[in-house]
Amino acid sequence: MSEAHAEDGPRLRDLSEEDLLDRIFPYFVQSEDVLVPPGDDAAVLRAPTGSVVATTDTMVLGHDWRDEWSTPAEVGSKLVTQNVADIAAMGARPTGLLVTLAAHGDLPARWAEEFSQGVASQAERYDVSVVGGDLSGAPDGVVMVSITALGDLEGRDPVLRSGARVGDVLAVHGSLGWSGAGWWLYDQGETDPGSPRPYPTGEEPPPGWHEQSARSVLMWFHRTPVTSVSSGVVASLAGATAMMDVSDGLVRDAGRIARASGVRIDLDRTNLERDFVDPPLTDVLPLDVAWSQVLTGGEEHSLLATFPADSPLLRDQSDPDGHWWAVGRVVEADDARPRVTLDGEAIQGQGWDHFAG
């Protein structure tokens, strides 16, 4: 537990489950999707089309976050994004979140409250309600949090990983490499310098201004990545043939689409260099590290999808929540080459794996 979060106040062991729930439930606002809110044995959500999309993600202290890097609110915010990105990647709209906290008894109750505030704030951003969850004790030093997210396809077919077709274009909505770059800076022993002070209009920024700004942005993004829920729906309506979010790196996640679809995906070096190997990455990272993070950096939670080559969405860029960047193409599988290549060549590094690292 970092000193910043170890202020005076009750520990979890000092409270009953009901006491803790009384502290955290007021943060959660219920939407019209909720028919029966938290308080009974289970919540009840609308499912007007009869289909429910479900996903879950877990974070463990010391493995998925460090208290010296992230505040409790940032942990909650990140956990929400991880889950709603999976819902968005199916072309669905999130409707409910179930939140679990398992922690040792000496964890300050304030940590749980601040974590809940982060969950609530990010849930409001994505217009989704927290409808319940679970609390549990844990061995000394253990803090584990998870969310199960539910969503509604609203009558659309789900967009699977297995639908990419030869001739499709691979595109990304959002950033690449920012979260991984933030992790790399932390791993180098750096601390977030905070946003630099504004400088007078018309004057040149002081020395180091751009570098400080870039460091702060990348390290913040590692702690609190964001996604676009609406863009998953837009992609589905535009005829996306396959989709997922970039949770474990572009190469690894593109490979998942390629294997599920029985194809090879060839990434475009020129497009990646032009659109992603640029500031803020190149303001603070060596060029080879910037490339590595764009290709393999995880926890980005941007959307990755394949579209027909003549897709109006890619041609007209009609997504109101941002640009879809073409980063590769779908080609015939070739047993002599990996499932994902860069201009036809093998790529060093494959991305994040929860067990292999």
Side-chain angles (χ1 to χ4, degrees):
M1 197 68 189
S2 66
E3 291 183 5
H5 305 148
E7 71 270 16
D8 292 336
R11 289 344 199 202
L12 294 188
R13 69 172 69 256
D14 302 322
L15 303 174
S16 69
E17 184 173 333
E18 288 74 15
D19 291 336
L20 184 57
L21 291 175
D22 286 344
R23 287 170 174 255
I24 63 179
F25 269 162
Y27 298 121
F28 303 136
V29 178
Q30 304 303 308
S31 74
E32 62 183 16
D33 291 308
V34 182
L35 298 177
V36 177
D40 284 271
D41 281 8
V44 178
L45 297 175
R46 297 181 189 275
T49 63
S51 61
V52 176
V53 180
T55 187
T56 191
D57 264 292
T58 298
M59 295 176 64
V60 179
L61 174 63
H63 185 74
D64 298 292
W65 88 87
R66 301 183 189 179
D67 274 341
E68 60 266 32
W69 295 359
S70 300
T71 67
E74 288 169 341
V75 175
S77 171
K78 188 172 190 173
L79 187 60
V80 172
T81 291
Q82 289 176 347
N83 279 272
V84 300
D86 286 339
I87 298 292
M90 299 296 289
R93 179 180 63 85
T95 56
L97 305 177
L98 299 165
V99 185
T100 294
L101 167 64
H104 61 92
D106 282 329
L107 185 74
R110 185 61 188 162
W111 194 99
E113 289 187 61
E114 292 180 10
F115 166 77
S116 301
Q117 289 171 342
V119 169
S121 176
Q122 203 71 326
E124 183 177 5
R125 176 194 184 106
Y126 298 125
D127 192 25
V128 59
S129 298
V130 175
V131 296
D134 192 28
L135 296 171
S136 178
D140 289 348
V142 173
V143 182
M144 185 279 291
V145 292
S146 72
I147 283 179
T148 295
L150 306 173
D152 182 13
L153 286 164
E154 301 175 316
R156 297 178 294 274
D157 291 332
V159 185
L160 308 180
R161 300 179 183 182
S162 55
R165 301 170 298 196
V166 172
D168 284 352
V169 173
L170 180 73
V172 172
H173 184 283
S175 56
L176 287 175
W178 285 31
S179 179
W183 175 87
W184 187 86
L185 291 168
Y186 274 117
D187 196 53
Q188 298 299 301
E190 298 200 22
T191 56
D192 186 345
S195 300
R197 292 183 177 181
Y199 55 90
T201 302
E203 294 187 9
E204 290 293 318
W209 192 94
H210 288 297
E211 291 81 358
Q212 181 180 342
S213 177
R215 278 185 171 81
S216 184
V217 165
L218 295 172
M219 296 171 91
W220 164 80
F221 195 88
H222 175 69
R223 302 191 308 270
T224 55
V226 294
T227 194
S228 173
V229 169
S230 64
S231 293
V233 173
V234 168
S236 174
L237 293 172
T241 54
M243 186 158 54
M244 65 180 301
D245 78 302
V246 182
S247 55
D248 297 323
L250 174 63
V251 173
R252 183 175 292 276
D253 290 327
R256 288 168 171 152
I257 291 176
R259 284 188 294 275
S261 301
V263 297
R264 177 167 63 90
I265 291 178
D266 191 37
L267 301 176
D268 187 309
R269 178 183 292 273
T270 298
N271 286 8
L272 286 169
E273 185 170 33
R274 180 191 64 217
D275 298 328
F276 293 101
V277 186
D278 61 0
L281 298 180
T282 52
D283 284 335
V284 293
L285 302 186
L287 186 59
D288 62 326
V289 176
W291 262 108
S292 176
Q293 295 305 334
V294 166
L295 292 172
T296 67
E299 296 189 319
E300 200 77 8
H301 303 297
S302 299
L303 297 179
L304 180 69
T306 56
F307 298 90
D310 60 353
S311 167
L313 176 61
L314 300 185
R315 182 188 66 232
D316 302 333
Q317 290 300 328
S318 52
D319 185 341
D321 200 32
H323 199 94
W324 282 90
W325 306 92
V327 296
R329 59 195 180 98
V330 180
V331 299
E332 294 278 359
D334 180 350
D335 291 340
R337 286 190 276 194
R339 286 291 186 175
V340 180
T341 53
L342 180 64
D343 286 352
E345 302 296 327
I347 301 170
Q348 294 295 317
Q350 291 298 305
W352 172 252
D353 182 280
H354 288 280
F355 298 104

